[in-house]
Amino acid sequence: MHTNIHTALARVSALAARPDGRRITPLYATDPNHATRFSASLDDLMLEYAKSSIDDAARDALFAATDLDGFRRHTFGSEVVPARW
């Protein structure tokens, strides 16, 4: 769900400022499936972002800062994608 961009980015910044907010070792220590859950693949293309300091809360906050539905409408519809994407 799209929220105010400034509010969403402030939330992402607050998450990064958490103690150990930039360390990945605690993420692997508490979640044995972290590498699997923080990767995506399509055919032979794989996006692996588990080695960044992103946890569930940070991922949700990043998605909240985007307008994915609007992006999809522009990309797969007949509308022109604005330069901000």
Side-chain angles (χ1 to χ4, degrees), residues 69-81:
D69 290 330
F71 178 77
R72 287 183 191 110
R73 277 194 311 276
H74 288 294
T75 303
F76 299 110
S78 59
E79 300 176 51
V80 175
V81 177

Side-chain angles (χ1 to χ4, degrees), residues 33-71:
N33 294 317
H34 182 76
T36 302
R37 290 187 332 101
F38 287 85
S39 64
S41 60
L42 175 66
D43 296 330
D44 62 347
L45 177 66
M46 181 176 177
L47 171 64
E48 193 274 322
Y49 58 102
K51 293 179 184 158
S52 61
S53 57
I54 295 178
D55 60 6
D56 291 309
R59 180 182 54 199
D60 294 345
L62 287 167
F63 282 140
T66 64
D67 179 10
L68 291 177
D69 290 330
F71 178 77

